[in-house]
Amino acid sequence: MDSFFRSEEMCLVQLFFQTESAHNCINELGHLGLVQFKDLNPGTVAFQRRFVKEVKKCEEMERILRKYSRFDKLEQELKEINSNRDTLRQNFTQLMEINHLLKVFDAFLFYLHDRFVAGVIKHERFPAFEKILWRLFHGNFVLRHEDPVKKDVFVVFVQGDQIRGKIRKLCDGFHASMYPCPNNAYARKEMRTNVNTRIEDLRLVLKRTEEFRETTLTAAAANLQEWASKVKKMKAIYYTLNLCNIDITQKLIVAEIWCPVSDLNSVHTALIHGSEQSGSSLSPVVNRIQTQQTPPTFNRVNSFTSGFQSIIDAYGVGNYQEINPAPYTMVTFPFLFAVMFGDCGHGLVMTLLALWLILHQEHFRKLKNELIDMLVDGRYIIFLMGLFSIYTGLIYNDCFSKSFNVFGSSWSVRPMFHPHGPWTNDTLHDSGHLHLDPLVSGVYSGNPYPFGVDPIWNIASNKLSFLNSYKMKMSVIMGVAHMLFGVTLSLVNYIFFRNLKDVALQFIPEVIFMLSLFGYLIFLILYKWCVVMKSESAPSILLLFINMMLFDYSSEGTVLYRTQKPVQIFLVVVAVLMVPWLLFAKPLLLYRKHKQLKFLSLPFCLSLFFGVKKAFVSLQVSMADIFVYQGIHTIEYCLGCISNTASYLRLWALSLAHAELSEVLWKMVLQVALRVTSGMGSVLLAVTFAAFAVLTVTILLVMEGLSAFLHALRLHWVEFQNKFYKGSGYKFTPLSFNRMRDMQ
Amino acid sequence: MAALSFVIPMSVMTLFWGIIGGVVPWFIPKGPNRGVIVTMLVLTAVCCYLFWLIAILAQLNPLFGPALKNDTIWYMYYHWP
């Protein structure tokens, strides 16, 4: 259960199994997908390994299978089928031609010449044919032709046999096909019926041939997939066997695997199963060994959490058993996205899109398109982003740039007029814009709008003055909270690794530094919000903060509360004191410890003189390293506090950009169509709405969505994670046939 | 009494997110995903409550009011309560 909060505990296990059962055992382990084989022959090159021949054979088979899938498979059989089909087609065309010829022949019957030549010639050759006939025989013939299809059917009536022979040779030269036609009508009719039946038969035969071709191909295709995966599996198994050691007697294989501790039992069962399958008498031996090497990092994920884990791993795989930021990222990432995206209409569209992706997941995966695969992998991320966007959109009171007025606005106009307030009817005629004054009683009801931003700000022309101040302060509060959370996670890491010294030397000064400066800033913001004050005497928080750092208390009106000056001086002094604590405490402590160790280990040095000198040099080198490292860490943390807090202002910047873009789309696109009063307005509205929808999806959903996604990701990777995450481990890559099949 | 309209939303929201973040986690059944679900519930409750709280506190004591166009003011005079 704790497995997702930090990576699982791994153990190094030695496996011994017999050579005969090796194949089956590794097959079982591959199906289980829980062990990673260590390379026991790291020094050998690829072609020196034991099973290199088998691997090469598998690769050869893979290549052949791939080739067959690109050309026509089972070439032999297919060639036969193809040639059969071609001959059949030829026969078919011939029969069709005879059919046409016979049809036409009846029309020429009144020519009573005896001899004739009947045939079919290509249409474009006919004029040349006719010309040559004229030149040769000077009109001693009668030529009739018709063109039913692309070809011309012709009949030449002549009087002599010799001429007929010459015409035959001419037809050959023109590649015209000649057909014998019977003289009398009865014989012709018989021939026609004959030809027709033959045509029908041929048609049937052709159809059958096509079907046969289809079935052979599909059968082969199904088999092909199976064969390909089998070969892949075998190649993986032989590759794995290459990583193992064979002992002298060639009877035993030794393998070293990394395996999660909680899965040792299932691994053992799988091995016993494998050895039983191969019929060997001895069961494999599983021997857990202790090691100093760093195990791989394994985070057990399911289909919901895998998306979030992959975006964390994209930055860096965590160290072994360090805290995994993924479970917290599952909420904070969509939430920070939503703060920047903040529109409940767009959020609703995004949620529906993600729901569609989730419900039709297999259908989308079948398309095998890279972009769509990426979208499908992140479907739960998009779903959560959409849900949170609906919530933040409701709080920003922004739905396609319009606001909801559910509870009634807290601001009212009537009290501004006489006799309550300063306005009269003339005031309205004079100026274009008028400010509502909260100091006039009744204008502001005293109770803020209960859920989100008051809807009156949507129609006010100084909307941005209010929203900017609100959103900037909100970003700073969110940022400091997120960073404090990150620093707290580093405390959890220290406690887990029993590193209590670092708690005092690093965690406490870091927290005090951040709280005393930025925690105080948040206090100032909240104080200014909660306490009533006149607008003229309200000091700017930014100026207050700057003056606090510069110890400048000379200017008037710089006090929010009575004891402000001593409190601020105290806080700044404390913060400044934290810097040397962070910088020097840890290295000095390590230095003292080293000196103590050196003192204790002196009698063990072989050569007193050289030993002392070497130890001293090494001590100095490592001390310099430690000081430099700690110095870098201190500067990075302290300056980072300031720059990272400012970096969170992108939450304000992006939500402003999004709100402005969506307002532009409303004002310049949809409102233009809605203002048209003539009858054509409805047509214009339909067209304009199409444009509005396309622009909304492409600009506001896709472009802004990607942009907010990127910035939320950056906030996590840099500002949040550099408070506690080291991210320099290596990922657990088990031998898993499921994973290989999915990657294919 | 005048602050009643502020106390009601405050208590409703605090109660709502308090239940989601503090009470519902106890009812999640034991299983491999319990830790993840509880974390998600608590973090969601904290983030959403904080976000709503900031929005309402920012409007509690306004230092300036909205600037409206004259037609808007005229409309609101007659049609808004």
Side-chain angles (χ1 to χ4, degrees), chain A residues 114-125:
Chain A
D114 240 352
R115 315 273 186 262
F116 60 89
V117 176
V120 176
I121 189 174
K122 275 208 183 116
H123 186 71
E124 50 264 17
R125 292 205 178 130

Side-chain angles (χ1 to χ4, degrees), chain A residues 1 4-5 302 328 330-331 335 388 391-392 395-396 409 411 413-414 417 423 428 431-436 438 444 447-448 450-454 456-457 459-462 466 470 474 478 529-533 535, chain B residues 2-6 9 13 17 31-36 39-41 43-44 47-52 54-70 72-74 76-81:
Chain A
M1 249 185 339
F4 196 49
F5 291 94
N302 54 29
Y328 315 107
M330 293 204 309
V331 168
F335 181 72
F388 277 105
Y391 180 76
T392 56
I395 300 244
Y396 285 152
S409 173
W411 296 81
V413 163
R414 287 199 193 133
F417 286 92
W423 294 353
L428 268 190
S431 41
H433 287 266
L434 288 170
H435 270 90
L436 270 72
Y444 175 62
N447 302 314
F451 190 78
V453 171
D454 199 302
I456 199 169
W457 291 107
I459 48 180
S461 53
N462 62 345
F466 168 71
Y470 155 62
M474 180 264 307
M478 292 266 133
W529 274 346
C530 294
V531 167
V532 185
M533 58 184 76
S535 156
Chain B
L4 186 64
S5 266
F6 175 64
M13 290 298 274
W17 289 117
N33 295 321
R34 182 167 197 256
V36 170
T39 311
M40 284 182 75
L41 281 172
L43 270 178
T44 312
C47 287
C48 293
Y49 179 66
L50 187 64
F51 197 64
W52 168 84
I54 294 175
I56 201 171
L57 286 182
Q59 301 176 94
L60 195 52
N61 298 305
L63 290 171
F64 61 92
L68 301 167
K69 280 206 311 227
N70 289 350
T72 321
I73 295 179
W74 187 90
M76 284 171 68
Y77 185 81
Y78 290 105
H79 295 272
W80 274 29

